[in-house]
Amino acid sequence: MKQFTNVNDIENIHDLINEALLIKRNPYAFSELGKNKTLGLIFLNASLRTRLSTQKAAMNLGMHVMVMNIDKEGWALEMEDGAIMNGSTVEHVKDAAAVVGQYCDIIGIRCFPSLKNKEEDYSENVLLKFMTYCKVPVVSLESATLHPLQSFADVITIKENWKKVEKPKVVLTWAPHVKSLPQAVANSFAEWLCKVDADFVITHPKGYELSRKFTKGAKIIYNQEEALEDADFVYVKNWSCYTDYGKMIPQEKDWMLTNEKLKITNEAKVMHCLPVRRNVELSDEVLDGKKSLVLEQANNRLYAAQTILKKIIEFNFLPFGED
Ligand code: CP
């Protein structure tokens, strides 16, 4: 694998999930693979899981890791090509990315959307500029539109928790929130679920339609109760409007997932990427209940990241790089 920014960087999703499960059984089997290789983790936004799981994944492969919260600790970055930098920005991404690329063999970058300018966010301006100028393989730690490491951990978790032959019914349900959030987790989950064997349904209030680029193949049902019927997995997530970009629409009913709503499902397991606003998106009783997979998902972030780093090292740095 040359780099990892979306599901299309993967050759075979089922093989990749199986490889992650093997790594989970024996996490130190490749502890020499990343020897003398350095992973740089660059954060333009906050993180707990992504930062720590990717750091630990690199350590399990014997890599060195450097982390920088560039939004707080670095110079204010200019993203515009040809900008006359006589304002508040101090360093151009062209220079910053090129410098970081000289210190690191692989770079992970987290860059959230502005939620103000759809065209700019959906062009993945920041991620692509970093990739262009750093000249080393890049791993997305969540970009403006996608969160592929999260989705990989999610499909690993579904695979581990589904032992039947028939396809599971997986429902992605919109949930309320107190502020506008990116569409990245939902876009990415949709993109990955459309590529695995699942009966995949998305439910949300009208106006919260995601980009069809990512949801092609999914069934969209606006009635949450109808969508939840017979579900085997329910993935809960808030996102702001894609069409009326970055906005929140007042809701006529409560979309928070409760134990009462779970009665409609086929004893569904419940997923959320975390961090979660308790008793806003999901009730305490669901999050702390037996059906909750949220900690398993967070744990699988480690094995998802480790599998991706292993594949990137094998492709880019081994003599006959193979994927
Ligand atoms: N799920 C997730 O990406 O968590 P962090 O934002 O804490 O990394």
Side-chain angles (χ1 to χ4, degrees):
M1 188 184 296
K2 197 172 165 212
Q3 61 194 15
F4 183 68
T5 62
N6 64 66
V7 74
N8 300 314
D9 288 320
I10 296 168
E11 214 165 278
N12 185 314
I13 195 167
H14 298 285
D15 288 352
L16 199 73
I17 294 169
N18 288 332
E19 186 161 353
L21 291 171
L22 283 176
I23 288 173
K24 187 171 181 176
R25 259 179 251 148
N26 193 1
Y28 302 108
F30 302 96
S31 57
E32 294 289 309
L33 189 74
K35 195 173 172 207
N36 295 332
K37 294 275 174 285
T38 298
L39 174 70
L41 298 177
I42 302 295
F43 287 89
L44 277 74
N45 306 92
S47 170
L48 185 154
R49 279 143 291 271
T50 306
R51 175 173 172 157
L52 296 180
S53 62
T54 312
Q55 240 179 309
K56 172 80 172 136
M59 283 151 54
N60 285 358
L61 293 170
M63 300 182 81
H64 302 290
V65 190
M66 299 193 295
V67 185
M68 186 165 181
N69 297 309
I70 213 163
D71 57 328
K72 297 182 187 73
E73 301 159 353
W75 302 112
L77 286 184
E78 176 61 56
M79 296 293 167
E80 198 186 311
D81 291 331
I84 298 167
M85 290 173 54
N86 57 2
S88 56
T89 55
V90 180
E91 178 158 38
H92 202 282
V93 64
K94 191 184 275 195
D95 306 312
V99 169
V100 177
Q102 293 181 110
Y103 305 148
C104 303
D105 300 284
I106 302 174
I107 291 176
I109 177 160
R110 166 165 283 199
C111 45
F112 283 176
S114 66
L115 292 181
K116 292 189 176 80
N117 182 331
K118 177 156 75 174
E119 283 66 40
E120 200 172 277
D121 288 345
Y122 273 71
S123 75
E124 291 288 9
N125 181 38
V126 178
L127 176 69
L128 292 182
K129 287 218 160 97
F130 228 92
M131 289 171 78
T132 303
Y133 297 125
C134 75
K135 295 190 168 41
V136 296
V138 166
V139 177
S140 167
L141 305 175
E142 186 172 346
S143 67
T145 69
L146 293 170
H147 195 354
L149 280 176
Q150 179 65 52
S151 307
F152 184 20
D154 296 336
V155 295
I156 295 168
T157 310
I158 291 173
K159 166 107 181 178
E160 285 182 307
N161 283 278
W162 187 248
K163 304 295 175 206
K164 298 181 188 165
V165 177
E166 64 266 29
K167 294 194 281 191
K169 179 176 175 182
V170 181
V171 179
L172 168 63
T173 179
W174 183 90
H177 206 279
V178 296
K179 57 180 261 207
S180 287
L181 293 189
Q183 295 106 30
V185 171
N187 283 343
S188 204
F189 187 71
E191 188 175 57
W192 284 63
L193 259 288
C194 289
K195 288 196 185 299
V196 296
D197 295 327
D199 172 13
F200 180 47
V201 174
I202 304 175
T203 184
H204 55 72
K206 284 196 174 155
Y208 280 101
E209 290 78 8
L210 294 162
S211 163
R212 285 300 289 163
K213 181 181 170 194
F214 304 115
T215 61
K216 223 157 109 197
K219 196 185 293 171
I220 316 291
I221 299 178
Y222 294 111
N223 182 311
Q224 191 188 36
E225 279 77 22
E226 185 190 330
L228 290 174
E229 260 172 47
D230 298 325
D232 299 300
F233 295 87
V234 181
Y235 199 104
V236 185
K237 185 73 187 88
N238 169 269
W239 61 87
S240 60
C241 295
Y242 171 71
T243 310
D244 194 3
Y245 192 60
K247 299 282 186 318
M248 295 165 77
I249 310 168
Q251 290 317 302
E252 68 220 34
K253 72 183 211 47
D254 191 2
W255 281 71
M256 180 173 83
L257 192 74
T258 59
N259 268 348
E260 196 55 34
K261 284 186 190 168
L262 279 178
K263 287 182 186 159
I264 310 167
T265 69
N266 184 25
E267 300 189 0
K269 300 278 177 82
V270 179
M271 305 177 72
H272 188 286
C273 62
L274 303 181
V276 65
R277 294 271 184 156
R278 281 177 172 258
N279 303 310
V280 175
E281 294 175 81
L282 281 167
S283 65
D284 273 339
E285 55 178 11
V286 175
L287 274 166
D288 300 330
K290 287 199 176 85
K291 301 288 178 194
S292 173
L293 295 180
V294 297
L295 292 181
E296 284 189 44
Q297 285 172 265
N299 187 32
N300 282 332
R301 292 293 308 271
L302 166 57
Y303 307 107
Q306 197 169 326
T307 307
I308 295 301
L309 291 174
K310 175 178 175 285
K311 301 296 273 182
I312 290 177
I313 292 170
E314 285 169 348
F315 181 86
N316 290 282
F317 304 115
L318 295 191
F320 301 101
E322 276 184 14
D323 230 357

